[in-house]
């Protein structure tokens, strides 16, 4: 992975080798599942994409960013506890909030003014920190020692503390130490900032307690709010025994060992100081890690850094202190009380370190906008901070193109997706996501607020468990289609369709996406040949190119295929002729669109957004902790890896209810079904899941062509010469027709055909239940409405559907539900 620091300067930025270069081949993704730019989505295009104006108004900016419909590339979420005041850049604000005044009123008397001190501190700088617990006071001493070691103001020991043996990461050691001391010294003490456990749901940091988690435990162990599930899995299925021998599980063992050495029987306050590391990157992560994990230490860290760079007689020491300023502002904010004073401090720097101060101010704005980091800086960020530049990260697209994206420490997956979309002129951004791959493991970052550098940090920590250095981490980033809207139309965006088509082609070749039969494979390859090679198929040329078209297992000597190379060429040629490609009756773009539209229904699990959840109510499942796969067909409840426990299609779902967190459990949502069941799940992503499902359900109802009568209704028609009557009874299936054909349709009335009688007529909106679906539900499901009691049907929501059906809508979606094999 090659990455470089870059910026708009005359000097050539250095390259940072990440040990890899361009992607070496197709990766199996089946195991998992901005700064400024013009918005390419016009109102007309958004309408065609699927969100009508009133639908879009009900969505938060965070959710619109998650699904790729943000109004711009900037993060505008409420993930940061401290926001930048509007007046912070004004001269009068900078003059009023001078840092010297803050130091006079809040520094301890023995510290005095803000100034460099040569030896490590023996207590906190701030009076407020000194009034905290013994843990904060001991941590402030350890942080001071770490700063002095990093700045080379004191001698650094040659031997690292034993806590970092066996590949334990710095953040895990810091967390285990603080957490163990908290439980021992003050049982009622809680870490007010997001704890390290909030990101420990990744298998890179598995729990080793062995107990069955409850709903609150499950919530604590899952991902942060608005975050798509980040779950590293191996690309090939392994048995439990094989997985236990995987070196990748070494990090789990190192965390377990770290846990065992941080038990209450061996911990004391001196452990914090004893665990101060010795290498530069570890020291940075030690200092920043305390700020991420302990909100009460953030101001203390910033004040110690201000002292470090004020009147420092050593330019080298001061420069290293400014590097720490840049790295801390990239990960967490000072308190609201201190923010204006600290910004004033940065604004008053006029010496050679002015560039560092400007960099730190810029990162304060970015961190305030994009939220707190969950991991300390990576090796890559550390290198970029030395020269105060952004980082150029290569991201591979499905068509083989590699796009270099300018990143900073605060960049989120949403911002990266937006930048890539702008670069390649992608209008239909919905459902495209960032994936990270490392050593046969893959994880989706989604298109939300997860920080890209946090994912890279997890990869670097994985390297430590292998006994390798962080800079040797061979991670790679990919931009892929993750999720379709249920009403996806390949004609909307040719760029998006081509990217998805290329993803399908590569995934079929790598056998990530599998076809059911050899005949189906032959038809797929015939279509691919037509798209890429044209109307002429020469058998000899095709046979020579089979290795580029057929998965390797189909041609291997151990293959179960009954065909050799010659037979495969003949089968593909026969399918090519049968599909009438030589006559050119269908364009290449139409054929490509058909493959894309079919793929979402053929491989729903491969095109799913994955979330962790814990069942707390409703019908029993084989296990309570599940993975929710939301896709174009519905909600699938999975056990890892990809074992379906239950499935709820959209036509079965009546409503989705979100419930905020309460004292005994985290945020939750309930899925109410036609049968009256309500399945309730706790998830840190509960609000995002509820909004996503609600948007899909409402959008499907608005576009649905299918409804069922929930009460008897008779309409006598006296408008014709001969009297007529339109009669429906409970359980009648109705196909909704274009309302414009019925010119005198009353308000709140609908127009459709009764399948039982074949009659066409108008009926009140309240008489029917509109299915949220693009396909006709199965007969056994529809039959249920004939026997439902009046009390049951009265609870069904009366949500308007056909109001948005117009000629162009009917035409675009008329093909839904028609089976077409690839």
């Amino acid at each position: 992975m090659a990455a470089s620091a870059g910026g708009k300067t005359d000097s050539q930025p250095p390259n940072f080798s990440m040990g890899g270069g361009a992607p070496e081949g197709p990766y199996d993704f089946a195991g998992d599942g901005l700064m400024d730019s013009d918005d390419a989505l016009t109102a007309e295009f958004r309408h065609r994409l699927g969100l009508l104006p009133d639908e879009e108004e009900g969505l938060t900016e965070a959710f619109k960013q998650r699904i790729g419909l943000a109004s711009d590339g900037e993060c505008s979420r409420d993930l940061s506890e401290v926001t930048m005041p509007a007046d912070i850049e004004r001269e009068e604000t900078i003059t009023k909030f001078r840092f010297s005044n803050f130091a006079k009123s809040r520094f301890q008397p023995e510290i005095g003014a803000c100034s460099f001190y040569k030896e490590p501190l023996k207590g906190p700088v701030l009076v407020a920190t000194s009034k905290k617990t013994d843990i904060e006071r001991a941590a402030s001493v350890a942080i001071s020692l770490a700063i002095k070691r990093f700045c080379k103001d004191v001698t650094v020991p040659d031997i690292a503390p034993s806590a970092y043996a066996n590949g334990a990461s710095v953040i895990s050691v810091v967390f285990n130490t603080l957490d163990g001391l908290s439980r021992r010294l003050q049982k009622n003490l809680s870490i007010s900032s997001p704890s390290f456990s909030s990101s420990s749901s990744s298998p890179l940091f598995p729990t080793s307690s062995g107990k069955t988690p409850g709903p609150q435990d499950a919530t604590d162990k899952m991902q942060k709010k608005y975050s798509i599930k980040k779950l590293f899995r191996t690309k090939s299925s392994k048995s439990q025994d094989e997985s236990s021998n995987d070196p990748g599980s070494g990090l789990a063992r190192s965390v377990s060992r770290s846990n065992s050495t941080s038990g209450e029987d061996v911990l004391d306050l001196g452990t914090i100081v004893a665990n101060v590391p010795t290498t530069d990157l570890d020291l940075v992560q030690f200092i920043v890690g305390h700020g991420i994990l302990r909100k009460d230490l953030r101001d203390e860290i910033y004040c110690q850094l201000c002292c470090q760079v004020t009147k420092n007689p050593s330019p080298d020491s001061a420069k290293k202190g400014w590097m720490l300023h840049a790295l801390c502002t990239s990960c967490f904010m000072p308190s609201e009380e201190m923010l204006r004073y600290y910004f004033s401090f940065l604004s008053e720097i006029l010496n050679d370190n002015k560039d560092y101060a400007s960099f730190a101010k810029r990162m304060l704005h970015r961190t305030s906008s994009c939220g707190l980091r969950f991991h300390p800086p990576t090796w890559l960020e550390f290198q970029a901070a030395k020269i105060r530049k952004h980082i150029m990260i290569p991201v591979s697209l499905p068509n083989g193109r590699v796009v270099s994206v300018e990143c900073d420490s605060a960049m989120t997956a949403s911002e990266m997706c937006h930048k890539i979309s702008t670069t390649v002129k992608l209008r239909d951004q919905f459902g495209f996501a960032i994936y990270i791959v490392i050593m046969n493991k893959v994880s989706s970052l989604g298109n939300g607020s997860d920080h890209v550098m946090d994912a890279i940090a997890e990869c670097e920590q994985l390297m430590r468990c292998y006994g390798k250095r962080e800079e040797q981490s061979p991670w790679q980033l990919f931009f892929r289609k993750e999720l379709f809207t249920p009403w996806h139309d390949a004609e909307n965006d040719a760029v998006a369709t081509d990217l998805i088509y290329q993803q399908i082609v590569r995934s079929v070749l790598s056998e990530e996406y599998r076809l059911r039969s050899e005949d189906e494979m032959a038809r797929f390859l015939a279509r691919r040949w037509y798209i890429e090679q044209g109307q002429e198929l020469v058998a000899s040329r095709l046979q020579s190119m089979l290795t580029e078209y057929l998965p390797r297992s189909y041609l291997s000597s151990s293959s179960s295929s009954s065909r050799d190379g010659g037979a495969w060429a003949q089968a593909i040629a026969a399918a090519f002729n049968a599909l009438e490609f030589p006559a050119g009756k269908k364009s290449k773009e139409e054929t490509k669109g058909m493959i894309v539209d079919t793929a979402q229904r053929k491989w729903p699990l491969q095109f799913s957004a994955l979330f962790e959840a814990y069942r707390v109510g409703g019908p029993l499942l084989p296990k309570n902790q599940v993975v929710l796969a939301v896709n174009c067909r519905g909600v699938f409840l999975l056990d890892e890896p990809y074992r379906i426990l239950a499935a709820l299609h959209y036509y079965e779902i009546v409503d989705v209810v979100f419930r905020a967190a309460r004292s005994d459990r985290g945020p939750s949502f309930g899925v109410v079904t036609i049968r009256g069941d309500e399945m309730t799940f706790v998830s840190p992503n509960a609000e995002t899941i509820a909004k996503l499902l609600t948007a899909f359900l409402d959008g499907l109802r608005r576009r649905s062509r299918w409804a069922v009568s929930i009460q008897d209704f008779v309409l006598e028609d006296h408008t014709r010469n001969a009297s007529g009557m339109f009669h429906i009874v409970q359980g009648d299936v109705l196909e909704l027709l274009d309302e414009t054909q019925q010119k005198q349709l009353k308000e709140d009335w609908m127009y459709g055909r009764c399948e039982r009688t074949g009659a066409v007529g108008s009926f009140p909106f309240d008489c029917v239940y509109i299915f949220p679906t693009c396909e006709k539900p199965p007969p056994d499901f529809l039959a249920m409405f004939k026997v439902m009691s009046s009390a049951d049907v009265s609870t069904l929501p009366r949500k308007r559907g056909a109001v948005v059906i117009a000629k162009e809508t009917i035409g675009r979606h008329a093909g839904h539900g028609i089976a077409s094999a690839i």
Side-chain angles (χ1 to χ4, degrees), residues 196-262:
F196 180 66
S197 63
S198 62
S199 60
S200 62
S201 63
S202 168
L204 295 180
F205 300 101
T207 177
S208 57
S209 62
K211 68 175 183 177
T212 302
Q216 184 60 50
D217 295 329
T219 304
D220 293 339
K221 296 295 182 183
M222 294 179 195
Q223 294 300 311
K224 56 188 176 182
K225 189 179 180 183
Y226 298 129
S227 167
I228 200 73
K229 185 189 177 193
K230 283 172 58 179
L231 179 59
F232 280 86
R233 299 178 184 164
T234 55
K235 293 183 292 181
S236 58
S237 300
K238 292 184 178 182
S239 67
Q240 188 172 4
D241 293 337
E242 291 173 322
S243 297
S244 64
N245 295 325
D246 182 2
S249 62
L251 186 54
R253 292 191 293 271
S254 71
V255 172
S256 177
R257 282 189 293 267
S258 183
N259 284 332
S260 66
T261 60
S262 60

Side-chain angles (χ1 to χ4, degrees), residues 99-115 117 121-133 136-138 140-141 144 299-300 303-304 307:
F99 193 77
S100 57
N101 296 331
F102 181 87
K104 287 179 183 178
S105 61
R106 292 167 178 82
F107 279 20
Q108 295 214 73
E110 56 268 29
I111 300 295
C114 177
S115 183
Y117 48 88
L121 294 173
K122 296 183 179 179
V125 167
L126 290 173
V127 173
T129 310
S130 67
K131 294 180 179 180
K132 299 292 182 181
T133 67
E136 277 78 13
R137 289 191 289 272
S140 67
V141 174
S144 174
D299 285 358
E300 176 72 24
C303 287
Q304 290 192 23
C307 291

